[in-house]
Amino acid sequence: RDRLRSRGLGDVYKRQSEGSQNRKDMIRIINLRVAVTVKSDIKDIVEKKYPQLRGAIETIHVVRRAVDARKKPNIVFVYTLFVEVHNEAQIMKKLSKQKDVSVFTAEDPEPIVYGNVPLAHRPVVMGFGPAGMLAAFYLAREGYRPIVFERGQDVDTRSEDVETFWKEGVFKPESNVQFGEGGAGTFSDGKLTTRVTHPRLHEISKYFVEFGAPEEILYKHKPHVGTDKLRTMVKAMRERIIEWGGEVRFGAKITDLFIENDRIVGVEINGSERIDTTVVLSGVGHSARDTYEMLHKRNVEMTAKPFAIGVRIEHDQVVIDESQYGVEPSSLGLGAAEYSLVYHDKETGRTAYSFCMCPGGQVVASASENGGVVVNGMSLYARDSGVANSAIVVNVGPDDFGTHPLDGVAFQREWERKAYELGGSNFHAPAQTVGQFLGLSPAPSVQDSTYSYEPGVVNCDLHDCLPPFVTSVLERALPYWGRRIRGFDDPAVCMTGVETRTSAPLRMGRNEERVSPTVGGFYPMGEGAGYAGGIMSAALDGAETAILCMAKYAKPN
């Protein structure tokens, strides 16, 4: 039997204990290849492939659907299916020689248990990005009535502030792409891919669907929500948290911790208000630099860690579509094509790679501080802008910027400030064509290329706002990638700087119970603490941290 421990099945495939008479196994079918042009019902496809299943199928669950375009234009979907059948043992005897068919037992998430340590005060959640939101969600669901403090604004106010910044250059330090309801992921492509495997992932995805995400995220190989649907989803989750007894306060930054005998006893809000608590679940995100400084001052253990920096590159989406599919994707019922690229540089030992690729999206201004330019990528659910963009970045580490926990922050700031100055000190971004960057002559200027960054770009030399060891690797990576995707390194392609927020520049220490070893009651979690790399992994880390917290503490009165 194939024991599936980490397929994100959650309670959709919940089964009774091994000894239960009501327990029913399912059949797993992998590597079911179907041409994308085939419009037949999946049940008919399965029965045609496996006639032994005719008349026995009760339900088919699409667990995964990937696109295989290696033999374009003959593009196929590759399915993994879980099939409930009558007489499973008898059916499996008939299918015993089929290498892609097996019986499996799905593993459910561990049950939530409650501890017995009294909570004199309600638990506090710090930040309302994916980690904070899911931590608050699970705490509220189980009756712990958390209080969430989010420095930014609610998603509607925040969206207005961000649009004003993009259109007019009016920047708000506490309401921007990095800070506010939903975290930085709210203004992104909304990718839900993750390398983390855990039974609770499917449970979380089901909640996302309940609150407005498309149902396809439950089975697509590379699911995404899109910034438009994310904004609706996070608001609905907040309303449910409040319905369950939680509280969410916006414009409420935790500016200090009150600590006695190395334990949390309270938090300070906006430099004045004190809230007593003995438990703080911290999901501050990777851009809360002033909060990092405060936590370091309060002896929260943290260490410097690697991340990556670089630029955003943009192409007409048709360039990527033709390279990946060989045909116009809508003719096959496919969406805008994606890519994932890696280059290992032999000269330096560094790696360049694409990051957060956004099909049919745009490059967005993502600053979180005055005096710095930061770029990121974003897509709507439809991915229909006609422009593909991605970060292309190079790894950096403590050997490059220093081993003090806050040295990575200083390194990011240095290059963001140079980009700000190059762009004219008004949040316009420095940009350059690939031809200019590679020193080709003649080379088109940015004004002759496709770019989407607002409030605007200035034709500059990107070598002036990135370290030489980064630009030299990118110079070698671009032609290498151009041999894999035709047109990728076209001289007229635009690159915009700088991308510096690929991940947190530090990691906060935590023990097996996910508590800081230096400050009792403080739970670092999510991407900002160095334990996640995207929406889903941060959401899972927040949920699991809340569950471990509940395993210690009893519900508050």
Side-chain angles (χ1 to χ4, degrees):
R1 290 181 184 274
D2 188 11
R3 183 74 170 168
L4 298 187
R5 289 190 170 275
S6 303
R7 295 295 183 184
L9 307 181
D11 59 4
V12 168
Y13 310 114
K14 189 171 286 184
R15 287 291 173 267
Q16 308 264 342
S17 65
E18 290 286 336
S20 171
Q21 294 181 349
N22 296 324
R23 180 182 178 278
K24 181 193 287 185
D25 287 324
M26 289 193 226
I27 290 173
R28 181 178 70 158
I29 298 174
I30 64 172
N31 199 35
L32 180 65
R33 303 174 68 81
V34 182
V36 297
T37 53
V38 172
K39 303 303 179 185
S40 302
D41 183 82
I42 190 67
K43 181 172 180 288
D44 295 334
I45 293 170
V46 170
E47 289 181 339
K48 183 177 180 180
K49 172 77 172 178
Y50 300 105
Q52 302 92 329
L53 291 172
R54 284 184 183 144
I57 295 175
E58 293 180 354
T59 307
I60 297 177
H61 303 279
V62 178
V63 178
R64 184 176 184 268
R65 189 188 74 183
V67 176
D68 185 348
R70 288 175 296 177
K71 296 181 179 180
K72 47 185 165 291
N74 299 316
I75 302 171
V76 299
F77 290 127
V78 184
Y79 287 93
T80 296
L81 306 174
F82 289 167
V83 184
E84 296 184 53
V85 298
H86 304 293
N87 303 319
E88 172 259 321
Q90 184 178 351
I91 294 295
M92 277 308 300
K93 285 182 181 179
K94 296 179 180 179
L95 294 169
S96 60
K97 294 183 179 180
Q98 299 291 337
K99 64 181 179 62
D100 292 332
V101 181
S102 62
V103 178
F104 76 96
T105 300
E107 182 171 303
D108 303 322
E110 291 293 326
I112 294 174
V113 297
Y114 310 131
N116 53 22
V117 176
L119 271 176
H121 307 283
R122 295 162 71 180
V124 163
V125 176
M126 191 176 185
F128 204 48
M133 183 172 293
L134 269 295
F137 185 87
Y138 276 85
L139 287 168
R141 192 188 77 173
E142 302 302 316
Y144 280 74
R145 300 185 296 112
I147 306 177
V148 179
F149 295 102
E150 166 56 53
R151 68 189 294 168
Q153 295 299 316
D154 66 274
V155 71
D156 291 330
T157 303
R158 180 187 183 198
S159 296
E160 292 177 3
D161 292 339
V162 168
E163 288 292 335
T164 300
F165 175 44
W166 290 344
K167 298 296 184 184
E168 303 173 18
V170 179
F171 175 69
K172 291 190 175 182
E174 300 296 345
S175 182
N176 49 61
V177 167
Q178 307 294 348
F179 300 147
E181 184 171 21
T186 301
F187 295 92
S188 70
D189 184 53
K191 291 179 182 63
L192 301 183
T193 51
T194 176
R195 295 176 181 174
V196 176
T197 56
H198 194 285
R200 202 172 299 280
L201 279 171
H202 193 83
E203 179 178 272
I204 292 170
S205 295
K206 274 186 61 188
Y207 279 126
F208 285 173
V209 171
E210 178 182 345
F211 295 118
E215 191 170 359
E216 67 195 39
I217 71 169
L218 299 176
Y219 59 82
K220 285 190 72 174
H221 175 46
K222 294 183 178 180
H224 84 287
V225 179
T227 183
D228 45 343
K229 292 185 180 293
L230 268 170
R231 298 180 203 185
T232 300
M233 188 184 86
V234 299
K235 187 193 302 187
M237 292 196 76
R238 180 233 304 169
E239 291 169 352
R240 181 63 59 85
I241 290 168
I242 294 170
E243 178 185 321
W244 281 336
E247 181 180 345
V248 181
R249 290 176 54 179
F250 296 107
K253 179 165 67 174
I254 293 181
T255 49
D256 206 353
L257 305 180
F258 298 106
I259 298 172
E260 295 179 3
N261 299 319
D262 298 324
R263 288 195 57 84
I264 290 278
V265 295
V267 296
E268 179 189 79
I269 310 300
N270 294 334
S272 57
E273 180 184 4
R274 173 169 174 148
I275 301 293
D276 291 330
T277 187
T278 55
V279 171
V280 174
L281 291 83
S282 175
V284 297
H286 60 36
S287 294
R289 293 165 170 175
D290 50 356
T291 302
Y292 281 163
E293 292 165 0
M294 179 273 289
L295 295 177
H296 183 260
K297 191 178 298 183
R298 291 295 172 228
N299 198 37
V300 171
E301 181 183 289
M302 54 182 70
T303 56
K305 82 174 216 1
F307 54 100
I309 65 172
V311 298
R312 279 268 153 186
I313 191 168
E314 297 185 78
H315 300 85
D316 288 337
Q317 184 64 49
V318 67
V319 172
I320 308 303
D321 292 342
E322 289 178 354
S323 173
Q324 301 297 74
Y325 295 148
V327 294
E328 204 281 317
S330 63
S331 67
L332 299 176
L334 297 173
E338 304 175 53
Y339 61 79
S340 179
L341 297 169
V342 178
Y343 169 74
H344 300 291
D345 188 56
K346 294 180 181 179
E347 289 189 29
T348 63
R350 295 183 189 270
T351 299
Y353 58 95
S354 60
F355 174 80
C356 188
M357 194 266 155
C358 296
Q362 66 187 87
V363 177
V364 296
S366 304
S368 61
E369 296 176 328
N370 272 307
V373 161
V374 181
V375 297
N376 200 353
M378 183 183 82
S379 299
L380 300 177
Y381 172 69
R383 289 176 164 176
D384 58 359
S385 75
V387 179
N389 78 85
S390 176
I392 51 171
V393 294
V394 176
N395 63 299
V396 298
D399 288 343
D400 301 309
F401 51 74
T403 57
H404 185 279
L406 299 177
D407 281 347
V409 170
F411 181 81
Q412 290 173 329
R413 277 180 171 150
E414 175 187 356
W415 301 107
E416 291 166 11
R417 286 171 178 163
K418 289 185 177 182
Y420 182 79
E421 292 165 1
L422 278 173
S425 300
N426 56 3
F427 292 105
H428 287 219
Q432 190 173 30
T433 62
V434 167
Q436 291 173 325
F437 183 76
L438 295 179
L440 304 181
S441 182
S445 71
V446 166
Q447 284 68 31
D448 299 322
S449 65
T450 297
Y451 64 89
S452 57
Y453 176 94
E454 293 178 327
V457 300
V458 176
N459 208 126
C460 299
D461 190 346
L462 292 174
H463 294 81
D464 294 334
C465 57
L466 287 169
F469 60 79
V470 169
T471 56
S472 65
V473 173
L474 289 178
E475 286 170 359
R476 291 185 287 275
L478 284 164
Y480 175 84
W481 291 331
R483 293 191 290 273
R484 280 143 185 82
I485 296 179
R486 185 175 180 180
F488 193 88
D489 62 340
D490 186 278
V493 166
C494 180
M495 302 191 300
T496 308
V498 287
E499 173 102 15
T500 55
R501 311 289 179 89
T502 53
S503 67
L506 57 82
R507 176 172 288 116
M508 300 182 197
R510 64 186 189 187
N511 60 24
E512 291 183 356
E513 295 180 336
R514 302 200 178 188
V515 180
S516 168
T518 53
V519 179
F522 186 80
Y523 289 77
M525 61 184 184
E527 191 163 353
Y531 293 99
I535 292 173
M536 284 304 290
S537 58
L540 176 64
D541 198 64
E544 289 294 296
T545 301
I547 289 166
L548 281 174
C549 178
M550 290 186 280
K552 179 174 183 177
Y553 294 99
K555 295 180 184 181
N557 297 324

